[in-house]
Amino acid sequence: MDDIPPYPPIDPTTFDLIVIGTGLPESIIAAASSTASKSVLHLDPNPFYGSHFSSLPLADLPSFLSSHSTSPSPPRSPSSDDPNEFSLLEFATRPLYSSIDISTFSPNLLDQHSRKFNLDVAGPRVFFCAEKSIELLLRTGTNQYMEFKSVDATFVGDNKGNLWSVPDSRAAIFKDKSLGLVEKNKLMRFFKLVQGHLAGEQDIKISEEDLQSPFVDFLNKMGLPPKIKSFILYAIAMADYDQEDTGVCRDLLKTKDGIDQLALYNASIGRFQNASGAFLYPIYGQGELSQAFCRRAAVKGCLYVLRMPVTALLVDKDTGCYKGVRLASGQDIFSQKLILDPTFKVTLPSGSSPPLPLKEKLPFFSLKDDKGKIARGICITKTSLKPDISNFLVVYPPRSLFPEQVTSIRLLQIASNLAVCLPGMFVLYISALCNDDDQGKKLIHAVMNTLLTVPLDSESNAAVQSETAENGSAVQDETSESSSGGPSDSGEEKPTLLWSALYSQELTLGQVDFICSTPMPDGKLNYNDLIDTTFKIFQEIYPGEEFFPETSLENPEGDGDASPET
Amino acid sequence: MHGRPRKAPKPEDEAASSAKAQKLRALQTQFFSFHHNKIYTKEAVELSAKLLEINPESYTAWNYRKLAVEHYLNLPDCNPDSIKSVLDDELRVVENALRQNFKSYGAWHHRKWVLSKGHSSIDNELRLLDKFQKADSRNFHAWNYRRFVAESMKRSEQDELKYTEDMIYANFSNYSAWHNRSVLLSALFDKKAEGFLLKEKVLPEEYEFIHQAIFTDPDDQSGWFYHLWLLDQTVTTDSPLLASSWPGHGSDVLLVGDRCYNGSAFSPFSALHSDSGSFPIVLYFNQPVRGVNSSTVTVECGFNKNEDLLWKPLSASNSQTARVWVAHLKVPSSDLHSTVEVSVGHTKGIISTRGFEYSHPSMLSFKVHVQPMERDSSQVSVAESISLREENFKVYGKQSEESIIDSFDQLIIKNGRETTASNWRFEALAKEIECFRELLSLVDCKIGKLTLARLLKAYDAMSYPFANKLVHSEEVLELYSDLMKLDRTHYQFYKDERSIVLLQKVTSSKGSLLQHCFQYKDSVSSAICGPICLRLNNLSLSRMGAFEKLLWVEMLDLSHNELQSIEGLEAMQLLSCLSLRNNKLRSLTALEPLRKLKLLRILDISYNQIGDHSIDTTRYVCSSPLSHSVGSELNRDETVTSDVALINNWEAFYIFKDFNLNQLDIVGNTIADEKFKSVLVKIMPKLKQLDGKLLD
């Protein structure tokens, strides 16, 4: 960022909206605003699209994370020395990632092919086939810029390394080998009850009292055994916190919400003919999604400038109102509205206060701001965690790995057929909500230790690896031998870790403050909450405008377009 | 494909369909002219293809194409290449037609026809089928065709079995897939293919498989349907068995000419009053068989030649297959004490409907004592009229119990050899019973109850010959009573099943049977001790059953029940007196089984519903006088058919003309007016008493 190439000046210099950062919420707002005939300038200091929602080459990921891990105190230039009628407010950056831990066990192999990887910064994340974001993609025609594949199954893991398939449909219940006949019956009856309730059938109605009660109580009332309860709560309804421990649970699911989640899951299965599971994942990684919305915005006239840092905010000297931004090129650009990537923070000069109307809105988004962190991990292996299946989700319900585990840990394995890694390799995305970095590390390590062979010492192994790097199978033999003293008792060979990145991410939510800023990737598995927040921000800046009106029909809508490749 | 609501057509759709109809009509006219003039030019054939693409149901067009193909194949310049192109064309037309309607019988049939010509490759067919079976996995046309293709390709049953499994895993609500599974397994059992040699190895796995479906969704019927097939495979022994006979093995038969005999020495199970100079031998098999004749069953006795014996099947339909077979031995009029030996199945030829050979040769021997008539039989009959009123019965005497007990056992044939082979059947049933008890503890499910009832019944039936009692009959009765309340639509079916279970219970032990045995003795009769009457009155029976244990009955009281049918009663060859008073018989044709009871003399069908309903629904089930065989009988008897009254009462004529009744009560039926009664008297000249009135 220090070495800024000369930029041609941007023309025009006045826009309706400036958006800084090309993360998913920013990109959607840019596209929605352009669709609403606003003139939009979309800037990103990075040379790539996606910001915190991007998919990066292997070598670029660590530098991206570390560039957002420290809070460099920028030289506070006096805000009054500007000759014109504006005062300058310098941008500060927020530290968003912490305790970054990169381990490489096969340096040569990976370094040579760094660009063959598309690693999601905010993984694991998938689409439910029937979720709102898919509707948004279809409605806006953004799906034409992307291709999807099905995530074929969901498993629930235990501390012995077993992966149990989740009986999430009638056919899956029938086929399941681990459930007893009575369990099958109870589970199917529960599904039928939910379906009947959702279909509004007269004789099967879940009472209002039950709907308002905790979902876990309702499941107990239905007499479902613990195993099935856990499947429903954590692998279908995707609850984050231990629902049976009200002391630690921060998201106690109501029956009503639980049932909505089941409905979403159920509607997702079989929605697209060639998607066998409930989820979709974009080819080339989730960074594609932001990029697709940027493309969509560009079609509607949005102007894009990448590699363009913004140095300061221009505010009216008298009113303190926002006027524009100063670019790293030195150019000043003006707009009525501004949307900021969560990376940036504006420090108000002491003594000044934001205009009153905005202040009133402060609690609207800020309240939820302190929600802890999310621990993320990315692992690369050469063998699938489960033979015969390459793309799947694994959920570790609370307390499934160790007694103090209060949040569920989710793992998504994506194979090279989704163009995220070298052929024959697999990328594992792991995430879990946590209070602090240590707790987060413990959660991610617990999963890694259960499923993977982690070479003891990355330094010593590196030498062995480099010798045999050309010969993949040799690498595996060597490393598995070195870990033979490990705790694994299972006869099956666990995949060996080639590379890993562990980090904690702040859960910064969207803010409508003095200026509007977008949220960081949340701890959810899908995009629904992000899309909701984005919609709210859009409404905030353009209360009178429709969010992607239905009438835009340049692209005849068809489910076939969104359906994944066969 | 399934469960899609029908929508009313929109106006534009209607316009489109009428335009289509117009086009179709024009095509059709042109097509018929080609067809009638036997024109098979390229244009003409093309036209038929066009017609079929719009309307695949046009059978004439398919047949025309067959003629056209034959025409081309018979051309002198026909070579393998041109044959192939002609047939490929046909396959293409069929495929297009199927795309229009993949449930078109004509199209699928045509495809079979083309392939059976043998010039086309069959390999494509599976691919085509996969496409159709993906579009609609239950399409039975596709499944039918699949069986044809698999057979032509010599694809192994094992491969096809795997395919049904895959289809079932994709969606187990698939009757066609389950059905195909049963077909394939049957074929593998018959072939004794490797791994399918022993049913006891295969069936438990299949039970396990179907449990997954039934427990996952007890409301889905396709699984139950397969379960029923498995149950049948478990219960039915391959080779037919002899279940019972009359006379029983080791019994003494007393034949008397009148109703007074020194009964104390003989049990009612083996004494017979016969005024016809013959007595029947009845064989009751556990499943319908054919091929019972004087070579497969030999009867050795001093007074009849085996070759002279004519074995007749007793079944409602006049087929040569029946559970019950009868032959009549002629009895000399003099005193006689003789031993009769009947050997069944020592020569091959008795074969079940499923094609299995009777393989447990058995031997029956009994003694016959003839007591010649002391009085003129006609006099006796005139003087006696039997009236089945309460006061005429007395509980069967204690002193005779022992003799009854002995002979009761003799009736039932124990097939000891089957026991060891059947152990797995017991185990399988016991496991199923446990499984369904568990299911019913989870859900209240009609078909689950019915299945449990069937399982318990089957278990009892299987263990009966050894245990001599039906352990679960109370539970089964309760299940059926429950079902009658739960499922009103199938009330009658459950009631019928319940009736049969009740009868089996009553006849299961000597004790319970004795409670229904009464001695008939009226005040008028001169006899010292009367015959034994089995009284199964007031049991709300809607059907008769347990015939194998009732072969000995001569006097049967079924009054005050709810019988609508007496199907199976033809097995009770010794019946001479039958009361069906106060039942729900609706038509004369319901009495058809009685035509085969040659010894029946006294019949009470009063207070039924004969004639209430103008439409006789049983006529569609039973053979009717309109059928050819009966029609010819009618014509034979010119004198009778010329009578107008008889023509209008052909049902009565058909039913009653073969009866040898002395006494008939028919009062209390809509049909029984004076006119009808006069017709009856005409049909049965031997009738002596009608509705309690002596006839001249």
Side-chain angles (χ1 to χ4, degrees), chain A residues 169-177 179-186 188-189 192 273, chain B residues 168-173 209 211-213 215-220 435 438-439 442-443:
Chain A
S169 66
R170 192 168 174 268
I173 295 173
F174 170 65
K175 216 171 167 174
D176 193 279
K177 297 265 194 288
L179 293 178
L181 291 174
V182 175
E183 290 174 313
K184 288 187 174 197
N185 183 264
K186 285 187 171 174
M188 190 61 212
R189 265 191 296 148
K192 276 193 172 177
Q273 254 206 338
Chain B
I168 289 165
Y169 273 135
N171 180 3
F172 63 85
S173 302
F209 192 36
H211 289 162
Q212 310 301 318
F215 273 77
T216 302
D217 192 354
D219 295 339
D220 188 84
C435 190
E438 185 162 36
L439 180 73
L442 295 169
V443 282

Side-chain angles (χ1 to χ4, degrees), chain B residues 469-570:
Chain B
K469 59 180 177 190
L470 303 174
V471 190
H472 299 108
S473 53
E474 279 305 325
E475 190 181 350
V476 177
L477 289 173
E478 207 165 297
L479 281 166
Y480 279 122
S481 305
D482 225 18
L483 284 165
M484 283 157 66
K485 276 184 235 133
L486 276 174
D487 183 7
R488 300 300 293 187
T489 356
H490 302 107
Y491 178 86
Q492 195 57 42
F493 169 76
Y494 299 130
K495 193 166 176 59
D496 286 358
E497 291 294 302
R498 192 181 183 281
S499 300
I500 289 170
V501 175
L502 185 66
L503 285 166
Q504 281 169 343
K505 190 189 155 208
V506 164
T507 57
S508 67
S509 73
K510 301 140 206 169
S512 64
L513 192 60
L514 267 180
Q515 289 175 8
H516 293 272
C517 288
F518 290 82
Q519 195 144 32
Y520 177 80
K521 186 182 187 313
D522 63 39
S523 48
V524 195
S525 170
S526 55
I528 304 151
C529 53
I532 298 301
C533 179
L534 179 68
R535 300 194 74 197
L536 299 171
N537 53 335
N538 269 317
L539 293 173
S540 40
L541 300 174
S542 63
R543 259 191 91 153
M544 259 309 272
F547 297 110
E548 72 273 21
K549 302 206 187 93
L550 300 176
L551 298 179
W552 53 273
V553 178
E554 286 177 66
M555 207 169 176
L556 178 63
D557 179 7
L558 286 171
S559 62
H560 297 277
N561 280 303
E562 292 164 37
L563 294 171
Q564 293 190 0
S565 152
I566 49 171
E567 215 182 307
L569 209 69
E570 66 271 11

Side-chain angles (χ1 to χ4, degrees), chain A residues 130-146:
Chain A
E131 73 174 47
K132 269 184 267 178
S133 54
I134 292 286
E135 303 314 319
L136 186 66
L137 284 171
L138 292 171
R139 202 170 76 212
T140 59
T142 316
N143 58 306
Q144 61 188 312
Y145 308 123
M146 302 178 74

Side-chain angles (χ1 to χ4, degrees), chain A residues 256-278:
Chain A
K256 187 177 168 300
D257 302 324
I259 283 170
D260 285 347
Q261 280 293 317
L262 289 188
L264 171 64
Y265 196 99
N266 187 44
S268 293
I269 289 176
R271 170 164 188 200
F272 300 115
Q273 254 206 338
N274 29 14
S276 52

